Amino acid sequence: MQICNNIDTNEQGVLTFTGYSTVELAEKYGTPLYLMDENKIREKMRTYKNAMEKYFGNGAAPIYASKAASFKRIYQIAAEENIGIDVVSAGEIYTALAAGYDISRAFFHGNNKTEDEIAFAIKNGIGYFVADSQSELEAINLEAKKQGKVQKILLRITPGIDTHTNKKIATGNVDSKFGMAIATGQAHDFVGMALEYDSLKLCGYHCHVGSQVFDAETFIDAVDIMMDFTLEIKEKYSFEPEILNLGGGFGVRYVASHPELDIENSIREVGEVLDAKCRELGVKKPRIMMEPGRSVVADAGMTLYTVGTVKQITKFKNYVAIDGGMTDNPRFALYDAEYTVINAKKATLPKNYRCTIVGKCCESGDIIQEDVHIAPPQKGDIIAVLTTGAYNYSMASNYNRIPKPPVVMLSDKGDYVAVKRETYEDIIRNDV
Ligand SMILES: *Cc1c(COP(=O)(O)O)cnc(C)c1O
């Protein structure tokens, strides 16, 4: 069983990705190579859009959390799919603008936006700021006033949900660098302050409860807490939010043991609770937004590498070294992220070789995956790491002066380069 329906094998026993032979793609573009399945990205965006319109109604819409994979072509696809975006830096805003994306549909996140970033965003007509703190309200207000504008904002509120236990723990996620907590009373004051500034227009609330969430329960808890908060604020300040943004975090199946999330059904469950809650409290139903990142792009991605050294440390492990590593995928090094690994030329052979897949950086922690089982590899084989569409290219670095791999899109119309392979000239571009 494959972990996603865009993964298969052909008659030669070669791994295919959305119908393309991975071995042929590796020959054509070289390795390391990021691949992205354009249809899968579009399919996921539509799944969210349709389900949210159907079950939340009232102008509900997904916003693509573009930090998961940020390059010009992704913003064009979002525009073509008529989907909003969230951005977390001026660099992402700049990329979206360069792609021709209308950033009046963008939400600007981050816990420490600089004054330059605030000025840049307002000057270019950003849709919304998601304000993270009181000092940020002050800074956005000051800049908006300077530019003669009234800036729309949401407030980042911390509902205090522990996503791992699904319990509403008052101190759970309260201690976070993001947002202002309901449990401490600070979120209430935050709203009061936001309403005072004359160059800010408060449009609603945002909360982000975590990542790799596989059930509707966490979002239902968030709706519950946020709607109670909405009522308290309505009573205290006579303010009702136009928008309630529930954040991102829907889970992704990286390995076969992970469940497959039913996005539509989860949204339906959340929608039912929301309707009931609004009726119970007698508050207006806000326009619901969600910000999926990884669940839009993760399984639309795959990385291909070429095997170099295969080494057995007697009585210990087998090490299979590939021509990339933590520079193009730092997620195992950062947080032991799980991945499915396949020997692409021998995808139908028994997976009976236990090994650790390591990169080429001078760093022992440069590991892609530990203790995986693949068909016995030899030098020149192609190693495919699945589900790398999120937080791989966007987290890549030039450590050891290694150029970043290209991003090749696979679509109905053929394969094409969305991001070119970096050259050594690119590496020294800013060296004076
Ligand atoms: C990272 C992030 C997201 C996306 O999270 P995923 O796990 O990729 O879906 C959405 N909203 C905010 C505010 C985030 O920081």
Side-chain angles (χ1 to χ4, degrees), residues 328-402:
D328 57 77
N329 182 358
R331 294 189 69 251
F332 187 86
L334 276 174
Y335 27 65
D336 292 337
E338 293 177 277
Y339 282 105
T340 301
V341 180
I342 295 176
N343 186 344
K345 284 185 182 171
K346 303 166 181 165
T348 51
L349 298 186
K351 297 170 175 49
N352 55 10
Y353 184 82
R354 181 176 164 164
C355 58
T356 289
I357 311 287
V358 297
K360 67 195 291 292
C361 294
C362 288
E363 196 80 41
S364 312
D366 176 21
I367 294 171
I368 291 288
Q369 202 62 198
E370 215 157 29
D371 290 332
V372 288
H373 287 86
I374 59 174
Q378 64 191 76
K379 193 175 165 73
D381 277 357
I382 301 297
I383 291 291
V385 179
L386 313 193
T387 330
T388 57
Y391 306 109
N392 273 238
Y393 173 69
S394 65
M395 282 190 169
S397 79
N398 292 119
Y399 181 52
N400 289 183
R401 297 242 126 176
I402 293 172

Side-chain angles (χ1 to χ4, degrees), residues 65 67-68 86 109 156 206 208 210-212 247-250 291-295 391:
K67 72 177 195 275
D86 97 36
H109 280 282
R156 179 142 182 176
H206 170 276
H208 177 67
S211 274
Q212 274 300 77
F250 272 110
E291 296 167 328
R294 83 181 61 229
S295 60
Y391 306 109

Side-chain angles (χ1 to χ4, degrees), residues 48 63-68 86 88 109-110 130 156 178 206-208 210-213 245-252 290-297 390-391:
Y48 275 105
I63 304 157
Y64 167 58
S66 70
K67 72 177 195 275
D86 97 36
V88 296
H109 280 282
V130 181
R156 179 142 182 176
F178 294 108
H206 170 276
C207 63
H208 177 67
S211 274
Q212 274 300 77
V213 178
N245 183 330
L246 296 173
F250 272 110
V252 163
M290 282 183 152
E291 296 167 328
R294 83 181 61 229
S295 60
V296 173
V297 288
Y391 306 109

Side-chain angles (χ1 to χ4, degrees), residues 124-333:
N124 285 288
I126 193 97
Y128 300 82
F129 275 80
V130 181
D132 194 86
S133 65
Q134 298 180 351
S135 69
E136 199 171 275
L137 287 178
E138 210 166 299
I140 300 168
N141 182 66
L142 200 69
E143 184 60 38
K145 185 169 287 179
K146 205 159 105 189
Q147 297 191 26
K149 292 182 178 169
V150 173
Q151 178 60 51
K152 290 185 284 186
I153 60 163
L154 303 183
L155 300 182
R156 179 142 182 176
I157 305 295
T158 315
I161 297 169
D162 188 319
T163 47
H164 297 291
T165 57
N166 264 333
K167 291 270 151 56
K168 295 170 216 173
I169 298 173
T171 52
N173 274 5
V174 169
D175 183 12
S176 158
K177 77 167 185 171
F178 294 108
M180 301 295 268
I182 295 174
T184 61
Q186 285 166 298
H188 299 75
D189 297 343
F190 196 24
V191 178
M193 272 192 82
L195 291 168
E196 297 282 305
Y197 290 104
D198 51 9
S199 296
L200 300 181
K201 181 181 190 304
L202 179 59
C203 298
Y205 312 129
H206 170 276
C207 63
H208 177 67
V209 292
S211 274
Q212 274 300 77
V213 178
F214 281 103
D215 53 21
E217 206 55 43
T218 304
F219 291 97
I220 287 171
D221 284 350
V223 162
D224 214 34
I225 295 171
M226 292 307 295
M227 292 316 294
D228 285 340
F229 178 72
T230 294
L231 178 64
E232 285 163 28
I233 294 297
K234 182 185 174 187
E235 286 168 351
K236 191 165 179 189
Y237 297 108
S238 308
F239 171 80
E240 282 193 86
E242 174 196 327
I243 294 174
L244 173 59
N245 183 330
L246 296 173
F250 272 110
V252 163
R253 191 165 186 224
Y254 289 101
V255 292
S257 60
H258 290 163
E260 194 174 349
L261 182 85
D262 183 339
I263 295 170
E264 184 176 355
N265 201 45
S266 300
I267 288 174
R268 183 184 57 75
E269 285 177 46
V270 178
E272 283 168 5
V273 172
L274 175 72
D275 284 343
K277 190 79 184 176
C278 289
R279 269 196 308 274
E280 177 200 326
L281 299 180
V283 292
K284 213 167 63 197
K285 180 157 109 173
R287 187 175 168 213
I288 299 293
M289 297 196 156
M290 282 183 152
E291 296 167 328
R294 83 181 61 229
S295 60
V296 173
V297 288
D299 55 20
M302 178 189 285
T303 309
L304 301 181
Y305 304 99
T306 302
V307 173
T309 307
V310 178
K311 188 191 277 185
Q312 191 200 358
I313 306 299
T314 308
K315 294 198 191 133
F316 291 95
K317 287 196 189 93
N318 296 319
Y319 284 94
V320 176
I322 44 91
D323 55 354
M326 64 188 289
T327 45
D328 57 77
N329 182 358
R331 294 189 69 251
F332 187 86

